């Protein structure tokens, strides 16, 4: 468990045929990249793993229970 109040909110886009967009929060870009590479992140619409982030937004999240992970 990572206890960190600073999270990066990624808007993630599926590069598959559904082209869905969704959000995820990670403590840093390295965590996002590793989880994506290891197949731990998948598209909620088509279960695809061919994903990329299209924007970054920072958010201070004081309550770990409110994080979108």
């Amino acid at each position: 468990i990572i206890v960190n109040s600073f999270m990066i909110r990624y808007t993630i886009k599926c590069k598959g045929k559904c082209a869905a967009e969704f959000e995820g929060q990670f403590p840093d870009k390295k965590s996002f990249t590793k989880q994506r590479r290891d197949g731990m992140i998948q598209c909620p619409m088509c279960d695809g793993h061919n994903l990329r982030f299209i924007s970054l937004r920072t958010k201070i999240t004081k309550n770990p229970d409110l994080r979108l992970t």
Side-chain angles (χ1 to χ4, degrees):
I1 292 179
I2 297 173
V3 179
N4 184 354
S5 63
F6 184 75
M7 300 294 282
I8 300 171
R9 180 178 289 175
Y10 289 85
T11 300
I12 303 166
K13 182 168 184 161
C14 178
K15 292 169 63 177
K17 64 181 178 179
C18 78
E21 292 183 10
F22 56 98
E23 290 187 350
Q25 291 186 25
F26 302 89
D28 53 39
K29 186 175 179 180
K30 183 178 177 181
S31 295
F32 168 79
T33 303
K34 181 178 181 343
Q35 289 182 37
R36 182 183 63 180
R37 183 183 61 237
D38 293 345
M40 297 173 69
I41 306 169
Q42 65 187 44
C43 175
M45 299 302 289
C46 71
D47 295 329
H49 293 280
N50 192 5
L51 308 169
R52 67 181 176 96
F53 67 90
I54 58 174
S55 67
L56 297 172
R57 292 182 299 198
T58 58
K59 178 182 178 182
I60 303 299
T61 305
K62 294 184 180 193
N63 184 343
D65 295 333
L66 298 177
R67 294 180 186 166
L68 299 174
T69 56

